[in-house]
Amino acid sequence: MSKTHQTEIGLILYSGAQLSAVLGLTDLFGMANRIATGHGQNNAPILRISHWQAEAAAAAPHRVFDSSPGTLPVTPTALILPPTLGEPMTAETSAPLARWLRDQHAGGAILGSVCAGAFVLAATGRVDGRRITTHWTYAETLQQRFPKVRVDADQMLIDDGDILTAGGLMSWTDLGLRLVDRLLGPGVMLETARMLLVDPPGREQRYYSVFSPRLTHGDAAVLKLQHWLQATGAKDMALTTLAARAGLGERTLLRRFQKATGMTTTEYCQRLRVGRARELLQVGGTTIERVAWEVGYGDTGAFRKVFTRLVGLAPGEYRRRFGTGQACGKQDGTD
C-alpha cells in the first residue's frame, strides 16, 4: 500500500504517562490493522502507530517507536495523551508539550486525551469554550485550573470532531475504538471490539462515579447542613427544614448553598438519595418500590425519573449491571 494512504496515530509518552494504556492502544490499533487488511479493503487506510517521547526541557517530542520503520515521516493524523497514575501535570510543566500540540492541531491533527491527559490538552488553549471530559475525581480540579473549559465528567467519551476526550483510566478502549470507527469504518471497529472482548463506545462515566460533595468551601453554616444531610440520607428536603438546620433564612441559604457546593439544595439532596439507592440496588433483591421508599421517595415513578437522569440507567438496569446479590425477578417491576 502507498505511503500516502497511511494514517498515523501518535501516542504521547509524557512524564508519568500510564504505559499499560500506551501499549494497550498500540495493540488495539494493531488488531484493527490486521482486521482491515483481512477484509481486503483495497483503499482502506492502514494505521501507523508511533510513540512520541516528551522531555520536560525539550521544545518538541520525538518518535521513539514507529510501527512502519523505514518509511518517510508523515504528519500524525491524531495525537493521544494517555492517562497517568500520578498527579496531573501542571500548566507550567506541560507548557512545551502543550505548545507543540497546539501547533500540530493547527496543522490538522486530531487531539485526544484520556483521564488526566485532559490537563495537558486544556493547557493548549484549543479546548477553551468546548466540552471535554476527564476522570470524575479530577473534574473539579480541571475546571478550577481551566475555567474557560466546559468539563462534563458524566460522559465516558466526548467526540467533538477534532478533539476527543475520554474519562476513566480504562476508557482508552472507548477512545481507541472511536478512532478505529472513524478511520477504518464501523465494521472494523465492531470486529476489533469483539476480538478484544470490550464494549463498543457508548458507556457513560456516571454509571461508575460516586457523588463526592464539596466540603472545603469555608461556609460553616452550609457545612453543618451538609453533615446533617449526609447523616439523615437527605430524606427531608423541605426548604424550611434545611434553613432551620443551617440557621439561615431561606433565600440566604439558597444563595450560599449554591455558591459553596456548586448546586442547588434540591440537586444536592437528590444526589445523596440516589447514591444511597445505588448501594441498596447493588446488594440483595429489595424491590425498586422499597428502595425508593428507603431513600425518601413515596412516588416510585418520581424516583425512577430522578435516578435515570442522574445515573444514566434505570434502577432495574443498574441492578442487573452492577448488582452483587441475587435479583428477585418480578420484584423489580418494569424500568
Side-chain angles (χ1 to χ4, degrees):
M1 179 167 291
S2 169
K3 301 183 187 71
T4 58
H5 289 161
Q6 285 196 329
T7 300
E8 181 176 3
I9 299 177
L11 308 174
I12 310 299
L13 295 166
Y14 62 90
S15 177
Q18 186 183 359
L19 296 181
S20 61
V22 173
L23 298 177
L25 281 165
T26 302
D27 288 342
L28 185 151
F29 294 133
M31 175 68 71
N33 263 340
R34 291 192 291 274
I35 290 171
T37 302
H39 284 178
Q41 300 177 22
N42 293 331
N43 295 316
I46 295 298
L47 301 182
R48 171 181 181 172
I49 305 101
S50 57
H51 298 174
W52 296 71
Q53 184 68 54
E55 304 289 352
H62 59 278
R63 282 187 183 89
V64 292
F65 167 79
D66 191 339
S67 64
S68 300
T71 61
L72 295 174
V74 296
T75 301
T77 303
L79 290 163
I80 300 174
L81 293 155
T84 175
L85 295 177
E87 289 299 310
M89 291 183 73
T90 66
E92 292 76 18
T93 56
S94 64
L97 175 57
R99 284 193 294 270
W100 182 78
L101 288 169
R102 185 164 57 243
D103 291 342
Q104 298 300 306
H105 183 259
I110 298 167
L111 299 184
S113 69
V114 183
C115 191
F119 284 80
V120 182
L121 179 63
T124 67
R126 290 291 176 170
V127 292
D128 288 355
R130 301 176 70 166
R131 194 167 62 100
I132 66 172
T133 190
T134 186
H135 193 285
W136 59 272
T137 59
Y138 291 138
E140 186 174 345
T141 303
L142 180 63
Q143 189 67 80
Q144 289 173 347
R145 288 191 192 177
F146 302 97
K148 294 181 180 180
V149 174
R150 296 161 51 205
V151 181
D152 183 358
D154 282 344
Q155 304 304 314
M156 187 71 75
L157 176 72
I158 296 179
D159 183 346
D160 200 23
D162 57 328
I163 301 290
L164 289 169
T165 55
L169 278 169
M170 296 301 295
S171 60
W172 55 263
T173 60
D174 300 78
L175 187 144
L177 288 172
R178 179 57 61 89
L179 274 176
V180 171
D181 187 0
R182 184 184 296 187
L183 301 173
L184 298 178
V188 173
M189 182 275 288
L190 289 172
E191 191 169 340
T192 302
R194 283 195 295 270
M195 288 294 293
L196 298 176
L197 297 179
V198 295
D199 290 336
R203 298 178 295 156
E204 296 186 39
Q205 192 167 194
R206 57 181 169 166
Y207 299 170
Y208 312 93
S209 63
V210 177
F211 178 45
S212 181
R214 188 186 301 169
L215 301 173
T216 57
H217 44 70
D219 191 320
V222 172
L223 182 60
K224 176 185 175 183
L225 177 58
Q226 288 178 276
H227 288 325
W228 179 78
L229 287 170
Q230 186 72 46
T232 60
K235 289 187 177 181
D236 189 346
M237 294 172 52
L239 182 57
T240 53
T241 303
L242 302 185
R245 284 285 173 178
L248 301 171
E250 294 181 6
R251 295 179 66 179
T252 301
L253 170 64
L254 292 176
R255 175 177 54 80
R256 285 172 58 172
F257 196 93
Q258 175 87 47
K259 180 180 179 181
T261 68
M263 59 187 71
T264 65
T265 56
T266 298
E267 183 181 3
Y268 189 94
C269 291
Q270 287 176 340
R271 289 185 178 275
L272 282 178
R273 288 181 170 190
V274 166
R276 174 57 179 157
R278 289 169 67 159
E279 294 175 3
L280 293 173
L281 290 168
Q282 288 171 12
V283 294
T286 308
T287 65
I288 302 297
E289 290 74 14
R290 180 71 182 182
V291 170
W293 184 84
E294 287 282 352
V295 300
Y297 287 94
D299 182 347
T300 306
F303 165 68
R304 292 180 190 276
K305 184 177 181 180
V306 171
F307 189 96
T308 303
R309 176 172 57 82
L310 293 180
V311 179
L313 296 170
E317 293 174 317
Y318 184 86
R319 165 176 282 163
R320 286 189 289 274
R321 188 159 187 166
F322 298 104
T324 58
Q326 181 65 37
C328 293
K330 294 183 180 178
Q331 288 185 331
D332 276 353
T334 58
D335 289 333

